[in-house]
């Protein structure tokens, strides 16, 4: 059973930074992509950033230039560096691992989520 465990969430002031981590129970290369989604109160879950098995990444326009996704295969961990945080970034952030065709969500795994609150 795949386990994904997020950490690094918390309360931060606008303009601040946080780094989220997602530790996987198996090699991150057993997935075609890993990444981060978020769900704000009253809104649907949305994609934030993905990093692909063979390299490359996709960062959504809402966070492009502020958020960076990276990975450490030795630690089986994917990171989300979040800079210049805004109140609208407030959400629960979920780690996602896709073993099926990327984007089809046919074989996905999810972490329990970590809450990020951006407020003064």
């Amino acid at each position: 059973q795949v386990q994904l465990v997020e950490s690094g969430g918390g309360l931060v002031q606008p303009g601040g930074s946080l780094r989220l981590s997602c530790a996987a129970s198996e090699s991150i290369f057993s997935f075609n992509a890993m990444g981060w989604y978020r769900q704000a109160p009253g809104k649907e879950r949305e994609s934030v950033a993905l990093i692909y098995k063979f390299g490359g990444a996709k960062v959504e326009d809402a966070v492009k230039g502020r958020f960076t996704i990276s990975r450490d295969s030795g630690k089986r961990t994917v990171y989300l560096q979040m800079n210049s945080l805004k109140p609208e970034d407030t959400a629960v952030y979920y780690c996602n691992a896709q073993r099926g065709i990327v984007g089809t969500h046919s074989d996905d795994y999810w972490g329990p989520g970590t809450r990020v609150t951006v407020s003064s």
Side-chain angles (χ1 to χ4, degrees):
Q1 180 72 11
V2 176
Q3 291 187 334
L4 303 173
V5 179
E6 304 101 336
S7 60
L11 173 64
V12 63
Q13 292 187 343
S17 298
L18 282 175
R19 189 177 79 157
L20 305 184
S21 300
C22 171
S25 58
E26 61 184 74
S27 171
I28 62 175
F29 294 122
S30 67
F31 307 104
N32 289 321
M34 290 188 68
W36 296 91
Y37 286 68
R38 68 184 181 185
Q39 187 166 18
K43 294 188 177 181
E44 293 186 354
R45 190 174 297 189
E46 62 178 4
S47 175
V48 177
L50 283 176
I51 190 164
Y52 301 101
K53 178 178 181 178
F54 296 112
K58 177 183 178 182
V59 180
E60 300 298 336
D61 288 344
V63 303
K64 194 170 292 183
R66 300 188 297 121
F67 290 12
T68 303
I69 188 169
S70 63
R71 65 189 176 192
D72 185 329
S73 58
K75 295 182 179 179
R76 297 184 295 189
T77 300
V78 175
Y79 302 98
L80 185 68
Q81 178 66 44
M82 305 187 295
N83 299 328
S84 302
L85 282 160
K86 305 175 181 180
E88 51 263 45
D89 295 318
T90 294
V92 177
Y93 284 71
Y94 297 91
C95 181
N96 167 261
Q98 302 183 31
R99 213 192 296 272
I101 297 173
V102 177
T104 65
H105 302 293
S106 60
D107 190 7
D108 278 21
Y109 300 89
W110 295 90
T114 185
R115 186 174 301 275
V116 172
T117 303
V118 184
S119 175
S120 55

